[in-house]
Amino acid sequence: MNSSPLIKVQNLEKTYRDDGEPTPALRGISFSVNNGEFVAIMGPSGCGKSTLLHILGFLDRQTEGAYEFEGRFMDSYTDEELAHVRNKKMGFVFQTFNLLPRLTVLENVKLPLLYSGIKESFWNEKAKQAIESVGLRHRMDHMSSKLSGGEKQRVAIARALVNDPQVIFADEPTGNLDSKSGQAVMSTIQKLNIEDKRTIILITHETYTAEHAQRVIRLLDGKVESDKPVDNRRKSNEFEK
């Protein structure tokens, strides 16, 4: 059994240049995440949360330091390999849902399969399984534009699941939702971690959202301020209601 971490970052730095002036976003971040962990990354606006997520999700590259995914250094991947891993082993859930309004729930969830290499004859079955896993079987043929905000986000979670990813990155998934809908979405995400053993990396500024995780990493000014387990992990039952 492979006991090495799924994700490992060491002295990670990211510096942007605006008119030639360096603007550091990440300043020597180090931590690791094991398979099946649920980690929340918190911090004030501008602390580097989204920059870190983009690097972890192979959407950007660091300036300095090292990032290993499944024991392989990110710098050793070609752009084509990065795209392949991103599609096959990573799922993404964003604050703004990013659904196509003129497609049904089923059609939206099938979209990542276009680039998966999976035979088209299996697409419907895989998409339906993902939709059922987030409790939206009854909405499968509805246009996504007709759904509530919470339902849209659960469709986005199903879409992130359809390729059976190793890790799900959720960037402020409750940011556009009221508290009740947000709680239902977090219950769905927590269920994926507890029952399906999915690795979850959650970016959030909301304490109640972070309490669903097993561990919270707090960032401040591009550095890790603290990295602690959640003492009283929030128990969600809204998903079953």
Side-chain angles (χ1 to χ4, degrees), residues 44-104:
S45 178
C47 71
K49 300 190 301 294
S50 293
T51 297
L52 177 59
L53 181 76
H54 286 163
I55 294 172
L56 297 180
F58 285 7
L59 298 167
D60 197 2
R61 292 181 184 263
Q62 73 272 24
T63 307
E64 300 287 344
Y67 171 27
E68 293 177 64
F69 183 79
E70 291 189 318
R72 181 175 172 184
F73 287 102
M74 182 187 189
D75 289 344
S76 71
Y77 288 87
T78 65
D79 287 344
E80 185 178 353
E81 287 174 326
L82 289 177
H84 176 76
V85 173
R86 196 163 56 235
N87 183 257
K88 292 288 291 181
K89 297 191 175 185
M90 299 176 175
F92 297 88
V93 181
F94 299 102
Q95 180 176 343
T96 52
F97 319 135
N98 294 345
L99 302 180
L100 296 181
R102 296 186 179 182
L103 297 185
T104 65

Side-chain angles (χ1 to χ4, degrees), residues 202-223:
L202 169 72
I203 300 290
T204 184
H205 65 276
E206 299 165 326
T207 300
Y208 94 89
T209 303
E211 286 173 349
H212 290 83
Q214 298 165 316
R215 172 179 158 208
V216 175
I217 297 173
R218 292 184 181 272
L219 301 186
L220 183 65
D221 298 330
K223 298 179 180 180

Side-chain angles (χ1 to χ4, degrees), residues 128-144:
K128 287 176 180 178
Q129 288 174 351
I131 293 166
E132 288 176 2
S133 75
V134 299
L136 286 178
R137 182 176 183 176
H138 61 296
R139 296 291 200 203
M140 201 171 298
D141 297 318
H142 282 61
M143 302 299 288
S144 61

Side-chain angles (χ1 to χ4, degrees), residues 93-128:
V93 181
F94 299 102
Q95 180 176 343
T96 52
F97 319 135
N98 294 345
L99 302 180
L100 296 181
R102 296 186 179 182
L103 297 185
T104 65
V105 168
L106 182 63
E107 290 166 339
N108 266 287
V109 173
K110 283 196 296 185
L111 286 174
L113 297 171
L114 288 168
Y115 312 101
S116 66
I118 295 170
K119 289 183 179 179
E120 190 172 353
S121 56
F122 294 110
W123 290 2
N124 273 1
E125 180 184 352
K126 286 186 68 66
K128 287 176 180 178

